[in-house]
Amino acid sequence: MKKYKKWWITLGVLLVLCLIGYIYWFTFPKYTANKAVDNYLAEQQIKSNQIETREIQKDWKKGGYLTKIVFKDDPKLKYEYSYDERYEYPYHIYVVAFKNGSSQENNQMKYLPLPEQEEE
């Protein structure tokens, strides 16, 4: 047992570092993105009972996180809340809506982006 003590310690330290890395690069940013979307929805005066489906995933192409939401009273549109800390929009979120794969103009959306995004 003493023969492999250094090996087990090294393996344990490596596993702890992997766990810390996973939390730092994936879990905490996902939580932050989810919280930012919640705050953005609150700013839009949207309640959670208005949401039919909601899924969040890592956006590997652009960076950040992408939250796709379909609302009960607007089921034809899929709203995408793109969170990236590099955005200077409110809550670091950019909103776009899609219908049948094509993006919609703001006048075609029921839940408009915040005015600060529309100014850009």
Side-chain angles (χ1 to χ4, degrees):
M1 186 69 174
K2 290 184 180 183
K3 185 176 178 183
Y4 298 108
K5 187 175 182 180
K6 287 183 182 179
W7 188 82
W8 283 110
I9 291 172
T10 304
L11 184 63
V13 168
L14 185 62
L15 288 174
V16 168
L17 289 176
C18 287
L19 180 65
I20 291 171
Y22 176 78
I23 290 171
Y24 180 75
W25 277 296
F26 294 104
T27 305
F28 186 69
K30 186 175 182 178
Y31 170 78
T32 305
N34 219 1
K35 197 67 168 162
V37 170
D38 288 341
N39 292 337
Y40 195 96
L41 291 172
E43 186 84 20
Q44 286 182 301
Q45 298 177 350
I46 298 172
K47 295 180 174 58
S48 61
N49 62 358
Q50 294 174 278
I51 297 173
E52 186 175 317
T53 62
R54 177 179 178 161
E55 68 178 65
I56 185 168
Q57 60 191 25
K58 177 83 172 139
D59 189 354
W60 293 102
K61 290 181 182 177
K62 299 177 190 172
Y65 282 85
L66 186 64
T67 303
K68 297 179 182 179
I69 297 178
V70 176
F71 296 102
K72 290 179 183 176
D73 56 351
D74 195 11
K76 294 180 181 176
L77 293 181
K78 182 182 279 190
Y79 291 80
E80 292 187 356
Y81 292 80
S82 180
Y83 172 82
D84 193 336
E85 289 183 352
R86 297 174 290 185
Y87 292 159
E88 295 190 18
Y89 300 120
Y91 304 102
H92 305 287
I93 291 179
Y94 182 78
V95 180
V96 66
F98 291 94
K99 180 178 182 180
N100 298 329
S102 65
S103 64
Q104 302 296 300
E105 297 292 326
N106 287 350
N107 61 359
Q108 298 168 318
M109 298 167 59
K110 181 171 183 172
Y111 300 103
L112 297 173
L114 295 178
E116 293 87 350
Q117 178 180 330
E118 292 177 356
E119 292 172 2
E120 299 280 325

